[in-house]
Amino acid sequence: MSASEQLNIQLPSPLQSVGSDTLPWSPTGDIEVLIKRDDLIHPIISGNKWRKLQQVFDQWQKNSQSKILSFGGGYSNHLHALGYACYQTKIPFCAMIRGDYQHRLTPMLQDLKNWGTDIRWLTKIQYARKNDENWLKSNVTDYSDFQVIPEGGSGVMVHSGMMQLISELPQDLDYLLCPVGSGGTLAGIIQALYQLQRKTKVIGIAVLKGQDYLESLVSSLITQKHALTQHHWQIIHQYHFGGYAKHNAELLDFCAAFTSQASIAIEPVYSGKLFFGLQQLMKQNYFEPGSKVCAIHTGGLQGARSLISNQKTDKNV
Ligand SMILES: *Cc1c(COP(=O)(O)O)cnc(C)c1O
C-alpha cells in the first residue's frame, strides 16, 4: 500500500467554480474565478503541505533511512502535517522547534506530543545553524541515520507533488495564485508549469514582509533556471498586513465574510491574505476581461487555532 493510500489522501482535490453569488465581492469584467480546494486533501495533512511532502512519503519505502527530522516554529503547519503523516506511517519523527514552549505548549505542539514526536527545543542561535549537517550530527547524536526535510517542507523534493497539482488544473488557465511563505510552493508551481509547457501566469501573494528576499528564495529553490526567466511569475507584496501572521480588523472581517458567504473556511495567516489580494486585484481590473483565474486554497486552518485567540505572531511556516 502506498503512503497516500495508507493516509487516505483525497486526490485530485476539487476544483470549485465560484460566482458573484458566492463571493463577498462581485467579480467584474467577465472574469472566471476558480478555487482549487487543496484544503480538502486531508482533514489534518491539508493543502500545500501534502503536495510538498508527497514525494518524501512516496519514496520512503525505497530507501533505508530510518528517521525524519525537520524544523519550524511553535505553530508550524508543516510540522503538524509531517508529524501526523509520520505517526500514521510509523516513521520516527524528530521536530526541532525554534523557541522553548515546554511550559506553554501550543495546540500544534500538543498534537505532536500526542503523536509521539521527539521534540527538541532550540534557541534562536541554535536554530540558525539548522542547515549545518555537522552541527546537526553532533547535536542529535542518538540518530545515526536521518533525512532532513527543510523548514516549511520547501526543498527540491516538492517537485512530483507540484507536477501532480498542475496536471489537475485546466490547461487554458490564464492565472494561478498562491500564498508565499517559505517559497517552496511557488517555486514548485513555476517549475511544474514550465515543464508541462503551460502558459498560465503565476502570482504569489506574500504573507510576510520580504520584498526581494522572497524572490531570491524562490529562485534558489528552482533547479531549472530557464523556468525563472522564461515563465511569467511575480510576487505581490501589498497584502501581507505588516508581516507574518500580522492582521487587522479589515482582514479578520474579510475572512469572516468570505467564510460565511462562500462557505469556505479561510484564516488570516495564508488563505485570508491570498483571497484578500485576489479581491483587490479584481477591483483594480488587473486581469484582462475573459480571463480564467484560479486561486489555490492551501489549507492551514490548524495554525490559526490559537493564533487568533492569543494574537501570537510567531513564525509559523
Ligand atoms: C506553509 C503554508 C503556505 C506557504 O507555503 P510555502 O511553500 O512555505 O511558501 C501557504 N499556505 C498554507 C496554508 C501553509 O500552511
Side-chain angles (χ1 to χ4, degrees):
M1 207 197 288
S2 74
S4 300
E5 285 166 341
Q6 204 178 337
L7 294 164
N8 198 18
I9 297 291
Q10 299 292 319
L11 286 179
S13 66
L15 184 67
Q16 190 173 344
S17 180
V18 287
S20 49
D21 50 334
T22 42
L23 292 174
W25 74 86
S26 286
T28 49
D30 185 26
I31 308 292
E32 184 179 352
V33 179
L34 301 162
I35 301 179
K36 181 66 171 162
R37 298 293 308 273
D38 271 11
D39 56 314
L40 301 178
I41 288 176
H42 188 277
I44 294 170
I45 318 166
S46 79
N48 64 339
K49 297 304 181 276
W50 174 254
R51 300 283 188 188
K52 296 207 274 184
L53 292 170
Q54 181 177 329
Q55 191 168 330
V56 172
F57 282 88
D58 284 349
Q59 289 178 352
W60 191 259
Q61 275 87 345
K62 291 181 227 142
N63 69 36
S64 61
Q65 282 165 319
S66 57
K67 283 186 172 73
I68 286 183
L69 197 144
S70 195
F71 313 90
Y75 299 83
S76 168
N77 288 332
H78 159 66
L79 291 181
H80 195 253
L82 182 56
Y84 182 79
C86 286
Y87 167 63
Q88 287 294 328
T89 53
K90 303 191 167 53
I91 298 170
F93 174 48
C94 174
M96 303 264 178
I97 308 294
R98 198 180 70 127
D100 187 348
Y101 294 82
Q102 266 178 94
H103 304 293
R104 48 180 183 117
L105 289 183
T106 63
M108 191 288 280
L109 290 164
Q110 189 59 57
D111 284 343
L112 285 188
K113 243 189 154 163
N114 296 342
W115 299 331
T117 303
D118 177 5
I119 299 175
R120 309 287 172 99
W121 314 105
L122 302 189
T123 64
K124 279 188 185 160
I125 292 165
Q126 289 173 319
Y127 196 84
R129 301 185 69 179
K130 66 185 180 304
N131 297 328
D132 179 346
E133 281 272 327
N134 289 332
W135 180 83
L136 274 181
K137 283 207 168 104
S138 55
N139 284 272
V140 196
T141 44
D142 45 340
Y143 288 6
S144 54
D145 201 8
F146 55 83
Q147 178 176 340
V148 172
I149 297 179
E151 185 180 55
S154 291
V156 290
M157 82 291 174
V158 306
H159 194 56
S160 73
M162 293 303 164
M163 288 290 276
Q164 177 160 354
L165 166 64
I166 299 306
S167 68
E168 291 174 20
L169 293 170
Q171 302 222 6
D172 63 349
L173 207 56
D174 296 298
Y175 291 93
L176 186 58
L177 283 82
C178 71
V180 186
S182 65
T185 302
L186 180 61
I189 285 172
I190 294 166
Q191 184 153 315
L193 283 168
Y194 176 75
Q195 223 168 309
L196 293 168
Q197 299 187 321
R198 299 275 181 97
K199 296 276 175 270
T200 309
K201 297 174 179 140
V202 192
I203 298 172
I205 303 290
V207 304
L208 48 89
K209 263 192 197 162
Q211 182 116 35
D212 302 332
Y213 160 77
L214 283 177
E215 279 80 359
S216 61
L217 193 61
V218 168
S219 305
S220 72
L221 291 167
I222 292 182
T223 47
Q224 274 184 312
K225 295 301 174 197
H226 283 306
L228 275 174
T229 48
Q230 290 175 20
H231 201 87
H232 188 289
W233 66 280
Q234 83 177 104
I235 300 175
I236 293 182
H237 297 273
Q238 269 81 54
Y239 309 116
H240 55 59
F241 287 82
Y244 187 79
K246 298 257 168 67
H247 51 263
N248 62 16
E250 185 186 17
L251 181 61
L252 295 182
D253 288 348
F254 174 83
C255 291
F258 187 95
T259 298
S260 75
Q261 246 160 288
S263 296
I264 299 171
I266 59 172
E267 43 67 50
V269 183
Y270 294 105
S271 48
K273 291 179 182 179
L274 170 73
F275 286 107
F276 186 89
L278 173 61
Q279 178 200 37
Q280 295 299 312
L281 293 175
M282 288 180 68
K283 278 189 183 165
Q284 297 157 17
N285 295 317
Y286 179 94
F287 308 108
E288 303 83 19
S291 293
K292 202 174 200 173
V293 177
C294 178
I296 304 172
H297 191 328
T298 47
L301 289 150
Q302 84 76 24
R305 284 179 296 183
S306 57
L307 204 131
I308 296 169
S309 57
N310 294 349
Q311 304 279 303
K312 284 281 180 196
T313 55
D314 198 2
K315 199 163 187 276
N316 204 33
V317 293

